[in-house]
Amino acid sequence: MLLVAPMKKLCLMVLASLTLVLPAKAMDNALRAGLMKLDPETRLEQRCDAEVLDRISHDDRNYKADRVVAYAFATPQMSADAIRSSGAAFRSKGQWYRLKFKCQTAADHMEVLQFRYKIGDEIPEADWAKYNLYD
C-alpha cells in the first residue's frame, strides 16, 4: 500500500519524459502501456498534456513546448472525456506563456478526438513563483 504513491509518481515522471521524446500522435507501446496503468482521470490529463506539447511545437516552430500546467491560473473544467482549461501555462525555451485549451478524447483517453488551443501572453519571470511555474 505504501508503494502506490511513489509508483504513481514514478510512472508520471516516465510518461512526462516519454512525451518529450515521442510525438503525441505516434505513441509507442511503452507510452501506451504507461498511460493504461493510470487511473482514467490522470490518463485524460496526461494524454491532453502530451497533445498540448506536441501541437504547439508542431504548429509554430517559434515554440519548443516542454512543460504544461493546466491549472496555473484557474482550475480546469473536466468532464468524463474532456478538459477545458482557460488558465493554463506552457513553457518554451525557458519562458512561460499563458494558454487556453480544450481537449476531448475517446472513452479510454488514448485518442484525442478534438483539440483547440490559444497561446496568450508571455508570463513575466517575477510572477513564476506565484503560480508555481519554474525554469
PDB file of all heavy atoms in Angstrom, residues 42-61:
ATOM      1  N   THR A  42      -6.363  10.690 -14.448  1.00  0.00           N
ATOM      2  CA  THR A  42      -4.951  11.026 -14.648  1.00  0.00           C
ATOM      3  C   THR A  42      -4.539  10.749 -16.090  1.00  0.00           C
ATOM      4  O   THR A  42      -3.789  11.526 -16.687  1.00  0.00           O
ATOM      5  CB  THR A  42      -4.058  10.238 -13.663  1.00  0.00           C
ATOM      6  OG1 THR A  42      -4.499  10.522 -12.327  1.00  0.00           O
ATOM      7  CG2 THR A  42      -2.601  10.627 -13.814  1.00  0.00           C
ATOM      8  N   ARG A  43      -5.046   9.658 -16.663  1.00  0.00           N
ATOM      9  CA  ARG A  43      -4.744   9.333 -18.064  1.00  0.00           C
ATOM     10  C   ARG A  43      -5.249  10.442 -18.990  1.00  0.00           C
ATOM     11  O   ARG A  43      -4.558  10.874 -19.907  1.00  0.00           O
ATOM     12  CB  ARG A  43      -5.363   7.999 -18.459  1.00  0.00           C
ATOM     13  CG  ARG A  43      -4.989   7.570 -19.871  1.00  0.00           C
ATOM     14  CD  ARG A  43      -5.600   6.236 -20.283  1.00  0.00           C
ATOM     15  NE  ARG A  43      -5.623   5.275 -19.208  1.00  0.00           N
ATOM     16  CZ  ARG A  43      -6.716   4.603 -18.821  1.00  0.00           C
ATOM     17  NH1 ARG A  43      -7.857   4.771 -19.450  1.00  0.00           N
ATOM     18  NH2 ARG A  43      -6.658   3.750 -17.828  1.00  0.00           N
ATOM     19  N   LEU A  44      -6.467  10.927 -18.742  1.00  0.00           N
ATOM     20  CA  LEU A  44      -7.026  12.022 -19.529  1.00  0.00           C
ATOM     21  C   LEU A  44      -6.115  13.248 -19.445  1.00  0.00           C
ATOM     22  O   LEU A  44      -5.767  13.858 -20.461  1.00  0.00           O
ATOM     23  CB  LEU A  44      -8.436  12.362 -19.035  1.00  0.00           C
ATOM     24  CG  LEU A  44      -9.100  13.609 -19.630  1.00  0.00           C
ATOM     25  CD1 LEU A  44      -9.333  13.439 -21.130  1.00  0.00           C
ATOM     26  CD2 LEU A  44     -10.407  13.892 -18.905  1.00  0.00           C
ATOM     27  N   GLU A  45      -5.711  13.612 -18.236  1.00  0.00           N
ATOM     28  CA  GLU A  45      -4.842  14.772 -18.039  1.00  0.00           C
ATOM     29  C   GLU A  45      -3.509  14.596 -18.764  1.00  0.00           C
ATOM     30  O   GLU A  45      -3.055  15.507 -19.469  1.00  0.00           O
ATOM     31  CB  GLU A  45      -4.577  14.993 -16.549  1.00  0.00           C
ATOM     32  CG  GLU A  45      -5.787  15.418 -15.761  1.00  0.00           C
ATOM     33  CD  GLU A  45      -5.547  15.378 -14.259  1.00  0.00           C
ATOM     34  OE1 GLU A  45      -4.385  15.271 -13.821  1.00  0.00           O
ATOM     35  OE2 GLU A  45      -6.543  15.438 -13.515  1.00  0.00           O
ATOM     36  N   GLN A  46      -2.887  13.444 -18.597  1.00  0.00           N
ATOM     37  CA  GLN A  46      -1.581  13.195 -19.210  1.00  0.00           C
ATOM     38  C   GLN A  46      -1.668  13.158 -20.731  1.00  0.00           C
ATOM     39  O   GLN A  46      -0.793  13.670 -21.425  1.00  0.00           O
ATOM     40  CB  GLN A  46      -0.978  11.886 -18.689  1.00  0.00           C
ATOM     41  CG  GLN A  46      -0.569  11.939 -17.234  1.00  0.00           C
ATOM     42  CD  GLN A  46       0.568  12.927 -17.000  1.00  0.00           C
ATOM     43  OE1 GLN A  46       1.555  12.922 -17.705  1.00  0.00           O
ATOM     44  NE2 GLN A  46       0.402  13.776 -16.007  1.00  0.00           N
ATOM     45  N   ARG A  47      -2.718  12.556 -21.263  1.00  0.00           N
ATOM     46  CA  ARG A  47      -2.864  12.472 -22.721  1.00  0.00           C
ATOM     47  C   ARG A  47      -3.079  13.855 -23.317  1.00  0.00           C
ATOM     48  O   ARG A  47      -2.504  14.198 -24.354  1.00  0.00           O
ATOM     49  CB  ARG A  47      -4.038  11.543 -23.075  1.00  0.00           C
ATOM     50  CG  ARG A  47      -4.216  11.342 -24.557  1.00  0.00           C
ATOM     51  CD  ARG A  47      -2.975  10.648 -25.158  1.00  0.00           C
ATOM     52  NE  ARG A  47      -3.081  10.548 -26.597  1.00  0.00           N
ATOM     53  CZ  ARG A  47      -2.576  11.449 -27.454  1.00  0.00           C
ATOM     54  NH1 ARG A  47      -1.957  12.517 -27.007  1.00  0.00           N
ATOM     55  NH2 ARG A  47      -2.709  11.267 -28.748  1.00  0.00           N
ATOM     56  N   CYS A  48      -3.901  14.668 -22.651  1.00  0.00           N
ATOM     57  CA  CYS A  48      -4.131  16.027 -23.139  1.00  0.00           C
ATOM     58  C   CYS A  48      -2.888  16.898 -22.978  1.00  0.00           C
ATOM     59  O   CYS A  48      -2.580  17.705 -23.858  1.00  0.00           O
ATOM     60  CB  CYS A  48      -5.349  16.640 -22.452  1.00  0.00           C
ATOM     61  SG  CYS A  48      -6.907  15.897 -23.029  1.00  0.00           S
ATOM     62  N   ASP A  49      -2.156  16.746 -21.883  1.00  0.00           N
ATOM     63  CA  ASP A  49      -0.892  17.479 -21.717  1.00  0.00           C
ATOM     64  C   ASP A  49       0.075  17.142 -22.849  1.00  0.00           C
ATOM     65  O   ASP A  49       0.733  18.025 -23.407  1.00  0.00           O
ATOM     66  CB  ASP A  49      -0.242  17.156 -20.375  1.00  0.00           C
ATOM     67  CG  ASP A  49      -0.939  17.822 -19.193  1.00  0.00           C
ATOM     68  OD1 ASP A  49      -1.878  18.617 -19.406  1.00  0.00           O
ATOM     69  OD2 ASP A  49      -0.532  17.534 -18.047  1.00  0.00           O
ATOM     70  N   ALA A  50       0.173  15.863 -23.201  1.00  0.00           N
ATOM     71  CA  ALA A  50       1.053  15.440 -24.296  1.00  0.00           C
ATOM     72  C   ALA A  50       0.609  16.065 -25.617  1.00  0.00           C
ATOM     73  O   ALA A  50       1.441  16.485 -26.431  1.00  0.00           O
ATOM     74  CB  ALA A  50       1.075  13.919 -24.404  1.00  0.00           C
ATOM     75  N   GLU A  51      -0.699  16.158 -25.809  1.00  0.00           N
ATOM     76  CA  GLU A  51      -1.224  16.763 -27.045  1.00  0.00           C
ATOM     77  C   GLU A  51      -0.893  18.244 -27.101  1.00  0.00           C
ATOM     78  O   GLU A  51      -0.529  18.766 -28.165  1.00  0.00           O
ATOM     79  CB  GLU A  51      -2.730  16.539 -27.144  1.00  0.00           C
ATOM     80  CG  GLU A  51      -3.302  16.844 -28.494  1.00  0.00           C
ATOM     81  CD  GLU A  51      -2.905  15.845 -29.580  1.00  0.00           C
ATOM     82  OE1 GLU A  51      -2.430  14.738 -29.264  1.00  0.00           O
ATOM     83  OE2 GLU A  51      -3.074  16.181 -30.764  1.00  0.00           O
ATOM     84  N   VAL A  52      -1.007  18.940 -25.974  1.00  0.00           N
ATOM     85  CA  VAL A  52      -0.636  20.360 -25.909  1.00  0.00           C
ATOM     86  C   VAL A  52       0.811  20.540 -26.367  1.00  0.00           C
ATOM     87  O   VAL A  52       1.107  21.361 -27.239  1.00  0.00           O
ATOM     88  CB  VAL A  52      -0.810  20.928 -24.476  1.00  0.00           C
ATOM     89  CG1 VAL A  52      -0.143  22.280 -24.339  1.00  0.00           C
ATOM     90  CG2 VAL A  52      -2.277  21.026 -24.095  1.00  0.00           C
ATOM     91  N   LEU A  53       1.713  19.766 -25.769  1.00  0.00           N
ATOM     92  CA  LEU A  53       3.138  19.903 -26.096  1.00  0.00           C
ATOM     93  C   LEU A  53       3.396  19.624 -27.571  1.00  0.00           C
ATOM     94  O   LEU A  53       4.126  20.365 -28.238  1.00  0.00           O
ATOM     95  CB  LEU A  53       3.961  18.957 -25.224  1.00  0.00           C
ATOM     96  CG  LEU A  53       3.907  19.203 -23.718  1.00  0.00           C
ATOM     97  CD1 LEU A  53       4.695  18.127 -22.976  1.00  0.00           C
ATOM     98  CD2 LEU A  53       4.405  20.586 -23.367  1.00  0.00           C
ATOM     99  N   ASP A  54       2.790  18.575 -28.072  1.00  0.00           N
ATOM    100  CA  ASP A  54       3.001  18.186 -29.465  1.00  0.00           C
ATOM    101  C   ASP A  54       2.450  19.233 -30.427  1.00  0.00           C
ATOM    102  O   ASP A  54       3.133  19.658 -31.359  1.00  0.00           O
ATOM    103  CB  ASP A  54       2.348  16.828 -29.727  1.00  0.00           C
ATOM    104  CG  ASP A  54       2.596  16.351 -31.142  1.00  0.00           C
ATOM    105  OD1 ASP A  54       3.771  16.231 -31.534  1.00  0.00           O
ATOM    106  OD2 ASP A  54       1.608  16.110 -31.863  1.00  0.00           O
ATOM    107  N   ARG A  55       1.235  19.661 -30.215  1.00  0.00           N
ATOM    108  CA  ARG A  55       0.602  20.586 -31.158  1.00  0.00           C
ATOM    109  C   ARG A  55       1.294  21.940 -31.189  1.00  0.00           C
ATOM    110  O   ARG A  55       1.517  22.499 -32.266  1.00  0.00           O
ATOM    111  CB  ARG A  55      -0.869  20.787 -30.804  1.00  0.00           C
ATOM    112  CG  ARG A  55      -1.732  19.571 -30.994  1.00  0.00           C
ATOM    113  CD  ARG A  55      -2.119  19.374 -32.463  1.00  0.00           C
ATOM    114  NE  ARG A  55      -3.027  18.248 -32.580  1.00  0.00           N
ATOM    115  CZ  ARG A  55      -4.339  18.357 -32.713  1.00  0.00           C
ATOM    116  NH1 ARG A  55      -4.912  19.529 -32.783  1.00  0.00           N
ATOM    117  NH2 ARG A  55      -5.076  17.273 -32.797  1.00  0.00           N
ATOM    118  N   ILE A  56       1.619  22.483 -30.027  1.00  0.00           N
ATOM    119  CA  ILE A  56       2.257  23.801 -30.003  1.00  0.00           C
ATOM    120  C   ILE A  56       3.604  23.738 -30.717  1.00  0.00           C
ATOM    121  O   ILE A  56       3.905  24.582 -31.563  1.00  0.00           O
ATOM    122  CB  ILE A  56       2.420  24.315 -28.559  1.00  0.00           C
ATOM    123  CG1 ILE A  56       1.044  24.690 -27.995  1.00  0.00           C
ATOM    124  CG2 ILE A  56       3.362  25.521 -28.512  1.00  0.00           C
ATOM    125  CD1 ILE A  56       1.041  25.041 -26.527  1.00  0.00           C
ATOM    126  N   SER A  57       4.408  22.743 -30.400  1.00  0.00           N
ATOM    127  CA  SER A  57       5.730  22.626 -31.017  1.00  0.00           C
ATOM    128  C   SER A  57       5.621  22.356 -32.515  1.00  0.00           C
ATOM    129  O   SER A  57       6.449  22.828 -33.299  1.00  0.00           O
ATOM    130  CB  SER A  57       6.534  21.521 -30.340  1.00  0.00           C
ATOM    131  OG  SER A  57       6.787  21.870 -28.995  1.00  0.00           O
ATOM    132  N   HIS A  58       4.625  21.599 -32.923  1.00  0.00           N
ATOM    133  CA  HIS A  58       4.448  21.262 -34.343  1.00  0.00           C
ATOM    134  C   HIS A  58       3.866  22.426 -35.140  1.00  0.00           C
ATOM    135  O   HIS A  58       4.284  22.698 -36.259  1.00  0.00           O
ATOM    136  CB  HIS A  58       3.539  20.041 -34.464  1.00  0.00           C
ATOM    137  CG  HIS A  58       3.279  19.642 -35.877  1.00  0.00           C
ATOM    138  ND1 HIS A  58       2.175  20.083 -36.572  1.00  0.00           N
ATOM    139  CD2 HIS A  58       3.981  18.868 -36.736  1.00  0.00           C
ATOM    140  CE1 HIS A  58       2.213  19.603 -37.795  1.00  0.00           C
ATOM    141  NE2 HIS A  58       3.292  18.854 -37.923  1.00  0.00           N
ATOM    142  N   ASP A  59       2.889  23.129 -34.563  1.00  0.00           N
ATOM    143  CA  ASP A  59       2.173  24.176 -35.288  1.00  0.00           C
ATOM    144  C   ASP A  59       2.979  25.460 -35.459  1.00  0.00           C
ATOM    145  O   ASP A  59       2.775  26.193 -36.421  1.00  0.00           O
ATOM    146  CB  ASP A  59       0.856  24.512 -34.598  1.00  0.00           C
ATOM    147  CG  ASP A  59      -0.152  23.384 -34.676  1.00  0.00           C
ATOM    148  OD1 ASP A  59       0.075  22.406 -35.419  1.00  0.00           O
ATOM    149  OD2 ASP A  59      -1.178  23.467 -33.962  1.00  0.00           O
ATOM    150  N   ASP A  60       3.844  25.775 -34.519  1.00  0.00           N
ATOM    151  CA  ASP A  60       4.609  27.023 -34.579  1.00  0.00           C
ATOM    152  C   ASP A  60       6.053  26.745 -34.174  1.00  0.00           C
ATOM    153  O   ASP A  60       6.349  26.542 -33.003  1.00  0.00           O
ATOM    154  CB  ASP A  60       3.984  28.065 -33.649  1.00  0.00           C
ATOM    155  CG  ASP A  60       4.593  29.446 -33.812  1.00  0.00           C
ATOM    156  OD1 ASP A  60       5.768  29.553 -34.227  1.00  0.00           O
ATOM    157  OD2 ASP A  60       3.891  30.430 -33.511  1.00  0.00           O
ATOM    158  N   ARG A  61       6.931  26.765 -35.149  1.00  0.00           N
ATOM    159  CA  ARG A  61       8.352  26.434 -34.904  1.00  0.00           C
ATOM    160  C   ARG A  61       9.060  27.446 -34.005  1.00  0.00           C
ATOM    161  O   ARG A  61      10.183  27.216 -33.586  1.00  0.00           O
ATOM    162  CB  ARG A  61       9.103  26.299 -36.236  1.00  0.00           C
ATOM    163  CG  ARG A  61       8.569  25.202 -37.136  1.00  0.00           C
ATOM    164  CD  ARG A  61       8.816  23.858 -36.542  1.00  0.00           C
ATOM    165  NE  ARG A  61       8.328  22.817 -37.449  1.00  0.00           N
ATOM    166  CZ  ARG A  61       8.225  21.571 -37.123  1.00  0.00           C
ATOM    167  NH1 ARG A  61       8.553  21.166 -35.926  1.00  0.00           N
ATOM    168  NH2 ARG A  61       7.767  20.689 -37.990  1.00  0.00           N
TER     169      ARG A  61
END
